Amino acid sequence: MKKSIKEALSWAKERLSEACERPMFEAELLLSYHLEKDRIYLFMQENEEISDFGSFVKLVERRANYEPYEYITGKVSFYDMHLAVEPGVLIPRPETEILIDLVANIIKKENITKIAEIGVGSGAISIMLARMFSHLNIIATDICDTPLKVAQKNMETFGLTGQIELRKSNLIDKVSEPVELVVSNPPYIAEDCLLASNVIDYEPKEALFGGRVGDELLIQIILDVKSRGIRWLCCEMGYDQKVPISEFVNEVGVQSIEFYQDLAGFDRGFVIEFT
């Protein structure tokens, strides 16, 4: 079967109408990826017959089955970067840019030179911070092999293997040297939470669920960082976890905790300064 660019987009838009909020936009992205052309090319050459329509159909069918676009193409846009991702690695969200900006402000204000990241995933947080601060040394941990492999690939792409060291570790168990700040976007979703198909069916469970209630890992991270005498902890959290986290840190004692919101106005994370 042969189709023009215009016909292929019309078919793909219809096929993606249930799986996507913006089916035409995603149809254009997938066809641009298939043709290895910019989206503007699709509008300028809409009557051109596309090559290997069958392969494009397979891409669209994967997306129609709710597979994330980022896993289909093997990359994700984050800040000004394109990072490699694959199944088994959490797809970085735009909200995490807020966390990075907060950490960057502390690094500048406190002249911090060594930090740790818990749950490196694709490497988005560590890579962005290393690009911002050439003097910064980072130890990034993950408990799973696939994120460590993908993070290594992304570090090599940006020439940051000298600044970031990867370690397979539960939380900061394998980080014995002193660090001044810990940053993390840990699993924080409750086990019984209903998630969209594109998330629950494809993204790694160990990067999503934080326990029966959801904040168990966050609490363990707070305790670990406090017991190690590390001054700063910056974490993402669930929108409904501000009250239990506030109550917990009041019990264990910290110098201060500040919560921040995402662009939609939901509680999204916190910054703790320990005494």
Side-chain angles (χ1 to χ4, degrees), residues 135-182:
H135 71 279
L136 189 65
N137 288 298
I138 304 169
I139 301 169
T141 73
D142 210 287
I143 200 168
C144 299
D145 291 324
T146 301
L148 292 168
K149 178 192 73 174
V150 172
Q152 179 71 31
K153 178 180 178 180
N154 286 323
M155 286 159 48
E156 290 170 357
T157 296
F158 290 95
L160 296 170
T161 54
Q163 266 184 274
I164 306 169
E165 180 186 348
L166 297 175
R167 293 184 191 172
K168 187 173 184 179
S169 173
N170 177 51
L171 308 182
I172 50 172
D173 292 355
K174 303 293 185 185
V175 182
S176 56
E177 53 269 83
V179 296
E180 300 158 273
L181 179 149
V182 171

Side-chain angles (χ1 to χ4, degrees), residues 70-124:
E70 292 85 357
Y71 287 161
I72 296 171
T73 63
K75 62 183 179 181
V76 61
S77 294
F78 187 78
Y79 267 95
D80 60 341
M81 305 182 290
H82 283 99
L83 298 170
V85 290
E86 63 180 62
V89 176
L90 189 72
I91 298 167
R93 270 54 169 187
E95 293 86 353
T96 300
E97 295 181 10
I98 303 171
L99 176 66
I100 291 173
D101 290 341
L102 289 168
V103 173
N105 288 336
I106 296 171
I107 290 171
K108 282 187 284 191
K109 185 180 73 172
E110 302 292 332
N111 296 315
I112 287 172
T113 60
K114 195 163 186 92
I115 71 169
E117 180 189 0
I118 294 172
V120 69
S122 65

Side-chain angles (χ1 to χ4, degrees), residues 17 36 69 85 92 124 136 142 182 188 219 262:
S17 60
E36 298 181 350
Y69 168 81
V85 290
L136 189 65
D142 210 287
V182 171
Y188 52 71
I219 286 171
D262 60 23

